[in-house]
Amino acid sequence: MAVRAGEAADAGATAGFVEINLKALPERQARKRNFMNQALLDKIESEQFRKTPVDFGVGDSVKVHTKVVEGDKERIQIFSGVVIGRRGRGLNSTFTVRRISYGEGVERVFPVHSPRVDKVEVERKGSVRRAKLTYLRKRLGKGATLVKEKEGRTTAAVPAAK
């Protein structure tokens, strides 16, 4: 018999409570219950996703347009910088943008699917070989914002052998 918190173990039967011991359920029923819960959560989550997907990657220079509420007015504030990382999956995914403001490094973490993020505008595509650009934190000056631009592949003319 399962005992509620705060009751003595040798107390009588619980009055009007039906307690389910999940460990006593067969494994198949427990798995089915978890699957049903996950399906319900996925359905609720799907309504919250951003309608237009954002297409940017780590190393890109972006302008993030965020909605800011001041009193009864709402305005758009722009935060521009380099994307130094993305994390998460689904609705919980976020990205970190870093910029240098008055000689001080400033980082902000934005949820990808937040209604407060109006749009993410890519200024320049960056070519990086890392998933997280935490090494930019140690750099100063122009080196902290400099990420190589992606170059389109050019086909070089092969000299004819004679």
Side-chain angles (χ1 to χ4, degrees), residues 121-138:
E121 191 178 320
V122 178
E123 293 179 307
R124 189 176 80 186
K125 286 276 189 191
S127 176
V128 294
R129 298 172 69 176
R130 304 247 182 280
K132 302 272 193 289
L133 304 181
T134 54
Y135 64 87
L136 290 179
R137 292 176 178 153
K138 297 175 196 155

Side-chain angles (χ1 to χ4, degrees), residues 143-154:
T145 60
L146 202 59
V147 175
K148 254 175 128 178
E149 273 192 59
K150 273 190 184 172
E151 298 172 3
R153 286 195 172 184
T154 58

